[in-house]
Amino acid sequence: MRSDQMKKGIERAPHRSLFKAMGYTDQEISRPLIGVANSFNEIIPGHIHLRQIAEAVKAGIRMAGGTPVEFGGIGVCDGIAMNHLGMRYSLASRELVADSVELMAQAHPFDGLVLIPSCDKITPGMMMAMLRLNIPAIMVTGGPMLTGDWKGGKVNLISVFEGIGKVKRGELSEDELCDLESRACPTCGSCAGMFTANSMNCLSEALGLSLPGNGTIPAVDAARIRLAKLTGMQVMELVEKEIKPRDIATDRAFKNAIAVDMALGCSTNTVLHVPAIAREAEVDLRLDAFNEMSTRTAHICSLIPAGPHSLHDLNRAGGIQAVMSELDNLGVIDKECLTVTGRRVGDNLEKAKVADREVIRPVSDPYHREGGIAILYGNIAADGAVVKQSAVAPEMLEHRGPARVFEGEADAYEAILSGKINPGDVVVIRYEGPRGGPGMPEMLSPTAAIVGMGLDRQVALLTDGRFSGGTQGAAIGHISPEAAEGGLIGLVEENDIIEIDIPGRRLTLDVPEDVLAERRKKWTPPAPRITTGYLARYAAQVTSGAAGAVLKKP
């Protein structure tokens, strides 16, 4: 056993003594030691209940003959960090999550790992660690939050962000907004919609690194506790059979995950996280893989924020396994891929069944004929840009309009809420990329403000930053190269014409080349916003959004 390095032989008597100081018995020490990475904290609704999930996981490990050893992890709540300095730390925290799990599992050589995340950067960070370490490992998340009920309709966190714009327009009173904020997030769990957290939790299941049901069983459902116990039991089988994450997360498995991504209309942040996870698996996953799968797949689930259905609805309809079974009719699912069940994808899908054809449409009658995400290219995005095309109004799929240029999110947000943005405008927010931000902050506040101000069918937004999974509308992010690296987005001037062609996968700044050449001669990189601490180190080491915003290898 791997853990023998720290517990076997007379030379390890001091090590065993330290285990006994914590109350471990000789019998417990002799069993396989399973690290349980629990990211519980009291700042994230998706993590507030993870102590209960961890206790269930540990019970499962003990039932199957192992000894659980729990340790903690960090986590940033994107919603609470939104629209202030904290958001610059969100994406950057993903690398620290991965590093901290690696550190704990290498300093204390566990025989296996169970990882318990729930929200935006914690789930991909822990998957990165699984694949980097490549010891038997499995993931179980905290599950999605239920939607709230307000004035007879479903509401969620994004409803509150959009409510700010409605107050500014006079559609809601401040008292009504207060009532809405009290009802929008009624339970623990990752925010109720196909936002980034739930996107990544669903993709962990599609990739085969978590048990069926992980992506969609609600946080407050007793089935989530049973799933956690089964996860603890299953890690012991992975240890016994020496099944490792890289045996599961192969090139073919990543293509399965991207197919599910397209079918669900997942967050654009998956285009950052999936390549970052693939890199740890030593799988060469190029950005074009998303466009290739988008044209082969169909968008068959219309989920919040782009549609009416919640994760709870998706779970009742059959969950991720039912989605994969339906996609198999298009030939885009590789059923031979291994999963943490110890069985192949095809074996797992034998009992999968679609229970609600409105929530999971047949591929012959999809919500959209193409997948939810598109990668755009053009002179302003030579290395690519990302849009959730399933959340764009049909009239905005092609758009040509004047640029309204802002050197950061705060100024753009103020301009939107104060009525300074006009129908037809293309809002450009720059110097918010991985390096320039630093940290590539999410732009949920301005995009939600555009919706709240009633402009989502008339105004586009472009940025070298990124968007929340809760964003809807013609919001195009991850523009690479970013402005801070000399990207063309840094040369855009007020009222320049920008042309958007999402079906044609094009994004063009309509300015003559000689004019751009003159502007480039005058351009100088801005001074860094942050010069000390972790973010300064992150900015110096991070790659572009097109490469997943991972850190450069030593």
Side-chain angles (χ1 to χ4, degrees):
M1 291 190 291
R2 188 173 182 264
S3 62
D4 286 347
Q5 299 173 60
M6 61 179 171
K7 70 182 187 183
K8 190 172 183 179
I10 61 170
E11 296 86 357
R12 298 296 181 258
H15 304 62
R16 292 192 296 273
S17 180
L18 291 169
F19 273 101
K20 290 178 179 180
M22 295 179 281
Y24 291 93
T25 65
D26 286 326
Q27 186 177 17
E28 286 176 302
I29 296 169
S30 69
R31 293 172 176 172
L33 300 183
I34 308 300
V36 178
N38 181 10
S39 57
F40 161 83
N41 62 46
E42 295 181 343
I43 194 68
I44 310 179
H47 291 234
I48 192 69
H49 63 304
L50 293 189
R51 281 176 174 161
Q52 187 178 17
I53 299 293
E55 288 304 317
V57 165
K58 291 190 288 185
I61 292 169
R62 292 188 184 103
M63 283 190 287
T67 297
V69 183
E70 183 180 348
F71 61 91
I74 64 166
V76 171
C77 178
D78 277 26
I80 295 174
M82 193 69 63
N83 198 224
H84 59 84
L85 176 64
M87 180 44 66
R88 302 192 186 282
Y89 285 85
S90 173
L91 180 59
S93 74
R94 183 189 68 184
E95 314 309 308
L96 291 178
V97 170
D99 290 350
S100 63
V101 173
E102 175 198 359
L103 186 152
M104 290 298 290
Q106 295 289 45
H108 317 99
F110 301 118
D111 297 299
L113 284 174
V114 178
L115 300 118
I116 310 176
S118 197
C119 290
D120 294 43
K121 310 308 167 299
I122 304 95
T123 296
M126 285 195 170
M127 281 198 278
M128 289 166 68
M130 290 172 75
L131 290 155
R132 185 185 302 172
L133 290 161
N134 202 34
I135 62 175
I138 188 171
M139 175 172 285
V140 62
T141 62
M145 181 186 290
L146 298 183
T147 54
D149 181 68
W150 191 63
K151 295 188 174 182
K154 292 179 182 178
V155 289
N156 57 78
L157 177 67
I158 308 307
S159 308
V160 186
F161 274 98
E162 293 173 357
I164 298 168
K166 292 179 180 179
V167 170
K168 295 287 185 180
R169 290 181 69 196
E171 291 185 12
L172 285 181
S173 69
E174 290 190 31
D175 286 344
E176 286 176 310
L177 180 63
C178 182
D179 187 39
L180 172 59
E181 76 182 50
S182 298
R183 297 174 183 270
C185 300
T187 72
C188 62
S190 44
C191 293
M194 193 50 73
F195 312 143
T196 303
N198 288 323
S199 294
M200 292 310 304
N201 296 340
C202 289
L203 295 190
S204 75
E205 183 179 336
L207 196 53
L209 294 174
S210 60
L211 292 178
N214 179 68
T216 57
I217 296 173
V220 294
D221 195 321
R224 176 64 56 176
I225 302 300
R226 296 195 295 272
L227 182 73
K229 290 179 180 177
L230 292 172
T231 298
M233 296 174 71
Q234 189 59 29
V235 75
M236 297 306 296
E237 180 179 329
L238 299 176
V239 169
E240 180 184 352
K241 294 182 178 179
E242 296 187 350
I243 297 174
K244 300 175 181 178
R246 291 188 199 174
D247 299 327
I248 295 167
T250 62
D251 175 69
R252 295 176 299 152
F254 277 101
K255 289 177 180 175
N256 283 349
I258 295 173
V260 171
D261 187 342
M262 296 300 163
L264 297 177
C266 287
S267 164
T268 52
N269 283 312
T270 60
V271 183
L272 289 173
H273 299 319
V274 173
I277 296 163
R279 181 189 192 224
E280 299 291 354
E282 298 185 358
V283 169
D284 183 18
L285 187 66
R286 300 183 184 280
L287 203 57
D288 285 341
F290 289 86
N291 268 347
E292 291 165 7
M293 190 58 75
S294 182
T295 59
R296 296 178 56 203
T297 315
H299 178 225
I300 60 175
C301 299
S302 187
L303 301 162
I304 298 168
H309 301 129
S310 68
L311 268 291
H312 189 197
D313 295 328
L314 180 58
N315 188 62
R316 288 189 293 98
I320 301 307
Q321 301 301 302
V323 171
M324 295 179 76
S325 179
E326 184 60 33
L327 290 178
D328 186 45
N329 294 320
L330 290 175
V332 295
I333 297 297
D334 191 321
K335 294 189 289 187
E336 292 304 308
C337 292
L338 184 64
T339 73
V340 288
T341 64
R343 306 166 72 213
R344 306 285 169 182
V345 167
D347 299 324
N348 295 341
L349 296 183
E350 285 178 357
K351 295 182 180 180
K353 184 166 43 174
V354 177
D356 188 331
R357 278 297 182 186
E358 186 61 23
V359 178
I360 304 175
R361 287 269 188 94
V363 292
S364 59
D365 182 28
Y367 285 99
H368 298 97
R369 292 288 173 187
E370 289 191 351
I373 289 175
I375 310 299
L376 312 184
Y377 294 95
N379 63 348
I380 197 172
D383 295 338
V386 183
V387 63
K388 186 192 282 193
Q389 61 178 347
S390 59
V392 179
E395 56 265 44
M396 290 298 294
L397 290 170
E398 297 180 57
H399 181 76
R400 181 179 171 88
R404 302 295 306 281
V405 182
F406 300 92
E407 308 302 326
E409 176 187 9
D411 290 343
Y413 186 49
E414 190 278 330
I416 295 164
L417 290 179
S418 61
K420 296 176 182 176
I421 301 302
N422 304 310
D425 285 349
V426 179
V427 176
V428 176
I429 305 177
R430 61 191 179 194
Y431 296 107
E432 296 287 17
R435 184 184 190 183
M440 203 178 188
E442 285 186 348
M443 302 289 173
L444 177 56
S445 293
T447 57
I450 286 172
V451 175
M453 296 294 284
L455 294 170
D456 54 306
R457 293 177 177 269
Q458 300 168 298
V459 169
L461 193 154
L462 273 60
T463 182
D464 50 7
R466 60 192 178 91
F467 298 112
S468 163
T471 291
Q472 55 181 310
I476 301 169
H478 307 198
I479 289 178
S480 300
E482 62 174 291
E485 291 186 321
L488 197 63
I489 188 173
L491 304 183
V492 180
E493 294 187 357
E494 194 80 3
N495 292 315
D496 282 352
I497 298 300
I498 293 176
E499 186 168 352
I500 299 165
D501 179 5
I502 294 174
R505 305 292 195 261
R506 299 295 298 170
L507 183 63
T508 306
L509 175 64
D510 191 5
V511 174
E513 285 296 326
D514 59 333
V515 174
L516 292 175
E518 286 301 312
R519 291 181 188 178
R520 187 169 296 284
K521 290 177 184 177
K522 300 174 185 176
W523 179 84
T524 56
R529 286 190 173 108
I530 295 175
T531 58
T532 61
Y534 175 63
L535 275 186
R537 298 198 305 274
Y538 177 84
Q541 298 176 50
V542 72
T543 61
S544 75
V550 295
L551 298 185
K552 297 169 185 173
K553 291 186 177 180

